[in-house]
């Protein structure tokens, strides 16, 4: 699941992360809503690519989630 804040998936570099590792994706499920006038939600992605590349993308997303969670 990828968190979405201010209308952008976090981390902001998600597209670059996928492109760098040659990983493609399909949007499986998700939704956006508004909280205090700001878009917020989450999406679930199916990642497709070489095993090492997919693992690198997941690791990149996991690091961003931990940093964001620690900043609160």
């Amino acid at each position: 699941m990828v968190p979405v804040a201010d209308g952008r998936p976090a981390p902001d570099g998600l597209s670059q992360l996928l492109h760098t590792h040659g990983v493609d994706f399909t949007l499986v499920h998700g939704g956006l809503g508004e909280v205090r006038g700001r878009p917020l939600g989450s999406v679930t992605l199916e990642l497709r690519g070489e095993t090492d590349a997919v693992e690198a993308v997941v690791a990149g997303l996991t690091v961003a989630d931990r940093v964001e969670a620690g900043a609160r």
Side-chain angles (χ1 to χ4, degrees):
M1 183 164 45
V2 178
V4 176
D6 290 332
R8 296 184 314 251
D12 289 339
L14 176 60
S15 178
Q16 170 110 20
L17 185 63
L18 292 166
H19 179 74
T20 297
H21 295 287
V23 173
D24 195 13
F25 75 95
T26 299
L27 176 64
V28 175
H29 178 78
L32 297 172
E34 281 195 25
V35 175
R36 296 184 183 173
R38 297 175 59 176
L40 184 67
S42 65
V43 295
T44 300
L45 305 176
E46 173 190 10
L47 303 178
R48 294 184 308 279
E50 297 293 325
T51 301
D52 291 343
V54 170
E55 289 175 355
V57 169
V58 171
L61 291 172
T62 301
V63 168
D65 288 346
R66 288 183 184 158
V67 169
E68 193 172 307
R72 290 183 188 163

